Amino acid sequence: MNILVYGAGVQGSYLAYVLVKGGHDVTVLARGKRAEELEKEGLVIRHYLQRKTTIDRVRVIRRLESSDAYDLIFVMMKYSDFGAVLPILAENISRHIVLVGNNMDTYAMQDYLSKHGQSPKQVAFGFQATAGKRTDGRVICIRGGHGEMIIGGLDGPIPFRSLLEQAFMRTKYKLSYHDQIDAWLKNHMVLVVPMNMVILFHGFQMKQVVRDDRRMRQLVAGMGEGFRVLDSLGYPLTPPEQASWITRYPNLIRWALKIFFMLPVSGLIDGTAVELIALNEAFAEWRARSDVPTPNWDALEADWLIQS
């Protein structure tokens, strides 16, 4: 299969690695210094937990032309970058697109591609369960097992599911289909935003995060407030056990997070203020439509904005 991975950060790099191992013709879209690194050194990934480094050669492009045809396009971008990519995807003739990452506007994005696409577009949405950072021309990737993507369509089953399964048939990468992917992504955002506000407030100094017990309490309470906002607006809490544990056992969750932040691996989590601002602004609209009070989320937001 001829597959494009649009984006060469941690998420895109690991997905490209998997697809290369699956025997496909993989192209990676990258720009600037990252494109030069890939062309010169190849796709270099340090698999942190597996304690190994892999190097693979991939074709690199810097621009997606309207006539470039791919069987599948995986867009591995930050939420704040999706808007700039949509017109480029709409002009391209390829039909099967998976938008992967934190995504608060799934229906609007699908609608845009449907209305403006030069060819009929079939769209799925996903989230890849990997983390890490880029440094010195290589990617440090944190993953469990062989990688996993939670994936789904908005209007029933993904119409190109057979293509997706063909893409990963020769790999051990896991596709976990979810029939409420929009709600899943919104629930995930409720976890991501408060946590990253505290991390960014302390400049990724995890020891300071652990010692800041007041904000750690606000972090967990803010997650609970976020779930209550979603529930009040009619979004399913999925997985339901996640919201239940956080709201019923906040002290346990707080200590579990502290233990995680004390581990060296936590220092490899990558996050950007630009994406966090965009995600938080999306949630602000939901808070405005809800009658649920969010004092802890508001306090974290105020402190982080002042700090930044």
Side-chain angles (χ1 to χ4, degrees):
M1 295 177 67
N2 188 19
I3 302 174
L4 173 65
V5 177
Y6 197 123
V10 173
Q11 303 289 343
S13 295
Y14 182 70
L15 184 65
Y17 159 81
V18 169
L19 293 168
V20 167
K21 296 305 181 188
H24 301 291
D25 182 5
V26 179
T27 300
V28 174
L29 190 148
R31 296 188 177 92
K33 183 180 179 181
R34 182 58 177 152
E36 294 173 4
E37 291 171 348
L38 290 170
E39 289 173 335
K40 183 179 179 179
E41 306 294 340
L43 183 61
V44 183
I45 300 179
R46 175 61 180 173
H47 304 263
Y48 184 82
L49 297 177
Q50 290 75 22
R51 302 179 65 83
K52 68 176 183 178
T53 298
T54 56
I55 303 175
D56 294 281
R57 290 289 171 182
V58 292
R59 178 172 176 257
V60 180
I61 61 171
R62 289 167 172 78
R63 175 183 173 85
L64 179 63
E65 303 292 346
S66 60
S67 59
D68 293 342
Y70 295 95
D71 299 308
L72 285 170
I73 296 179
F74 291 92
V75 184
M76 315 293 286
M77 307 292 289
K78 296 187 182 299
Y79 173 62
S80 48
D81 295 330
F82 275 127
V85 175
L86 289 177
I88 299 170
L89 296 171
E91 292 178 4
N92 181 259
I93 63 173
S94 306
R95 298 184 57 192
H96 307 112
I97 299 170
V98 186
L99 300 175
V100 184
N102 292 308
N103 196 326
M104 302 300 102
D105 300 315
T106 57
Y107 283 95
M109 291 181 183
Q110 178 174 269
D111 186 59
Y112 180 92
L113 291 172
S114 175
K115 289 181 177 179
H116 298 279
Q118 284 198 22
S119 60
K121 305 295 186 188
Q122 295 181 338
V123 185
F125 297 88
F127 187 88
Q128 182 170 266
T130 53
K133 65 190 300 183
R134 273 177 34 208
T135 179
D136 298 328
R138 66 176 182 171
V139 162
I140 302 175
C141 181
I142 307 164
R143 59 181 171 85
H146 298 275
E148 177 184 10
M149 185 182 296
I150 296 89
I151 189 169
L154 301 182
D155 306 311
I158 301 170
F160 55 99
R161 178 168 172 168
S162 60
L163 269 180
L164 289 167
E165 294 183 348
Q166 182 182 345
F168 296 100
M169 181 171 55
R170 297 179 182 177
T171 76
K172 295 181 180 180
Y173 187 92
K174 183 179 179 182
L175 291 177
S176 296
Y177 296 97
H178 202 293
D179 59 5
Q180 294 178 317
I181 190 64
D182 178 67
W184 189 96
L185 289 167
K186 287 177 168 59
N187 278 260
H188 183 261
M189 186 282 305
V190 164
L191 303 177
V192 168
V193 172
M195 185 182 303
N196 277 278
M197 283 195 286
V198 176
I199 292 173
L200 285 169
F201 177 85
H202 287 292
F204 291 93
Q205 299 301 309
M206 295 307 184
K207 290 182 179 179
Q208 294 181 24
V209 172
V210 172
R211 288 196 294 264
D212 192 347
D213 197 62
R214 178 172 67 86
R215 289 189 178 86
M216 288 294 295
R217 291 178 184 275
Q218 290 176 333
L219 187 166
V220 179
M223 290 176 177
E225 293 167 357
F227 288 127
R228 286 190 285 274
V229 167
L230 291 183
D231 188 49
S232 74
L233 297 176
Y235 292 109
L237 299 183
T238 179
E241 300 83 5
Q242 173 179 266
S244 176
W245 271 83
I246 289 172
T247 54
R248 291 174 61 189
Y249 308 109
N251 288 330
L252 178 62
I253 300 300
R254 177 169 55 90
W255 280 105
L257 287 172
K258 283 192 173 190
I259 291 171
F260 171 70
F261 289 144
M262 287 188 288
L263 298 174
V265 69
S266 69
L268 298 176
I269 295 175
D270 190 18
T272 66
V274 174
E275 182 177 36
L276 182 57
I277 289 171
L279 291 169
N280 190 54
E281 286 178 348
F283 186 67
E285 297 179 10
W286 306 340
R287 282 184 289 172
R289 302 202 316 263
S290 171
D291 58 359
V292 174
T294 57
N296 291 283
W297 191 297
D298 297 345
L300 289 173
E301 177 186 58
D303 286 350
W304 169 64
L305 290 175
I306 290 172
Q307 179 78 0
S308 60

